[in-house]
Amino acid sequence: MNKINLPNGDRITLLHTLVRIVESGSLSAAALQLDTSQPTISRRLQALEQLLGAKLIQRTTHALKLTDDGERCYRQARGLIEQWQSLEEGLGGARDEPVGVLRVRAPHAFGQDQLIGPLGEYLRRYPQTYVEWTLNDHSPDFIPEGVDCAIHVGAVTDPSVVAVLLAEVPRSTVASPALLTSREPVRCLDDLARLPWLALNSFYRNEVVLTHVERGEQGRFDITPRLSTDSLYAVRKAALEGLGVAIVSSWLVRDDVADGALQTVLPAWRAAPLPIYLLYPYASYYPARLRKFMEMMKEVMPRILGARPPAAG
């Protein structure tokens, strides 16, 4: 291959393109993440290969595969880009003034309701930032999907990410008055277990676990849900329709309980609160827009409606 000469800035762009191709898994995904076209990505890859005088990626009809030279180039390119970004921020004065696009994943219900206030505050504080706010109840595959961080409700099972505990969400067991008056009075867990149930399958499917707030005693029983869904809003609506008992985030049904549309069932027995985490991938460098978002989430999350500081220990 004949080598070509390029300005240093263009070289950084080519290296960044290679990293995006590798981590997203395809030229088309890299183009989407870099907000450009697939032909442009292809031309940049060819230019980088010409510049280095080496074949970096073998392309087939079904997959991309790094060559040995490509593996070495990718590893070093990632480090160089992180160092360049750190230098650019430090010398350019951007360390205290976040700029650019922040890509955040948030759970559906919490992300379109409780988190919009903190998100708005972030955008007001840092007017040179832009946020891509994607709602999904599952943790992202950060690097291939181009996600910077995620708000996650529930236990974290991926050991490859940084998980910062921000707050916790209390839950309530609720049912409609019409459902409760049509059945025998609910005085104990056995009575509760005999009622029809709705399941939020992200957190419980076939078994309910409750703890007595005073005695610390734990009770559990099996359920066969009349309706099982991954939507918190669908569970609330089904409960209002009298289809069954549900365990939901307390913030969501606060007004329903206050106006009598729903009733708390056996209030002395409660489901464990759900932890709220901020997740992000390990890296040697984080841009200011991500660092400031992390700082603000730690600051405001325990104070928003529906959340509380995590229990000690």
Side-chain angles (χ1 to χ4, degrees):
M1 292 184 182
N2 295 322
K3 292 190 178 182
I4 60 175
N5 293 315
L6 287 172
N8 288 336
D10 289 345
R11 293 170 190 242
I12 293 293
T13 298
L14 298 185
L15 291 175
H16 191 200
T17 299
L18 174 67
V19 170
R20 284 292 92 216
I21 293 171
V22 174
E23 294 181 350
S24 67
S26 70
L27 272 66
S28 58
L32 186 63
Q33 292 182 12
L34 293 173
D35 194 24
T36 188
S37 66
Q38 184 172 332
T40 297
I41 295 296
S42 181
R43 285 194 297 271
R44 288 179 186 174
L45 176 59
Q46 292 172 10
L48 182 61
E49 290 178 330
Q50 278 189 281
L51 177 67
L52 298 175
K55 189 70 175 175
L56 303 177
I57 292 179
Q58 297 287 354
R59 284 183 276 182
T60 69
T61 54
H62 300 293
L64 299 178
K65 180 180 171 71
L66 282 171
T67 65
D68 290 343
D69 288 332
E71 288 278 6
R72 287 193 294 271
C73 183
Y74 164 69
R75 288 196 301 268
Q76 294 190 44
R78 238 191 126 180
L80 286 170
I81 289 167
E82 289 180 353
Q83 292 175 30
W84 175 260
Q85 289 175 330
S86 178
L87 176 65
E88 193 174 39
E89 271 200 359
L91 296 182
R95 183 160 298 275
D96 296 320
E97 184 57 35
V99 298
V101 179
L102 181 71
R103 296 174 176 87
V104 185
R105 177 80 62 83
H108 271 103
F110 217 53
Q112 64 184 291
D113 196 309
Q114 302 297 82
L115 294 178
I116 296 301
L119 176 61
E121 177 61 25
Y122 174 82
L123 291 171
R124 283 188 289 270
R125 284 189 195 180
Y126 308 114
Q128 296 186 64
T129 60
Y130 306 85
V131 174
E132 290 184 6
W133 189 249
T134 303
L135 301 182
N136 191 307
D137 292 319
H138 302 287
S139 296
D141 193 354
F142 287 94
I143 292 173
E145 296 179 30
V147 176
D148 295 306
C149 66
I151 306 296
H152 177 82
V153 177
V156 178
T157 58
D158 185 355
S160 68
V161 300
V162 181
V164 179
L165 181 60
L166 299 175
E168 60 184 22
V169 179
R171 293 189 287 170
S172 299
T173 305
V174 296
S176 72
L179 174 69
L180 295 175
T181 56
S182 70
R183 308 283 174 141
E184 293 296 320
V186 179
R187 297 189 176 93
C188 63
L189 290 185
D190 287 342
D191 297 332
L192 183 59
R194 284 192 287 269
L195 291 175
W197 272 83
L198 309 169
L200 182 64
N201 56 33
S202 307
F203 303 113
Y204 66 98
R205 293 172 180 266
N206 307 115
E207 182 185 55
V208 169
V209 180
L210 302 172
T211 302
H212 197 281
V213 293
E214 294 178 356
R215 302 196 299 265
E217 174 189 349
Q218 191 175 83
R220 62 180 65 224
F221 52 85
D222 294 332
I223 60 172
T224 302
R226 297 298 309 282
L227 172 67
S228 179
T229 176
D230 62 354
S231 168
L232 186 58
Y233 286 124
V235 170
R236 170 186 171 268
K237 184 64 176 177
L240 288 167
E241 292 290 330
L243 299 181
V245 186
I247 298 174
V248 295
S249 299
S250 298
W251 65 265
L252 183 67
V253 294
R254 182 176 181 175
D255 292 340
D256 299 322
V257 172
D259 64 22
L262 291 174
Q263 293 181 10
T264 303
V265 187
L266 291 185
W269 290 91
R270 297 180 188 172
L274 296 174
I276 307 173
Y277 290 94
L278 178 68
L279 308 181
Y280 52 93
Y282 286 97
S284 59
Y285 164 80
Y286 299 106
R289 58 184 176 275
L290 177 55
R291 294 197 308 271
K292 294 298 184 182
F293 185 80
M294 295 175 188
E295 291 171 7
M296 202 188 77
M297 285 295 106
K298 293 176 188 177
E299 171 193 334
V300 306
M301 186 64 75
R303 302 200 306 264
I304 68 174
L305 176 65
R308 67 188 187 197

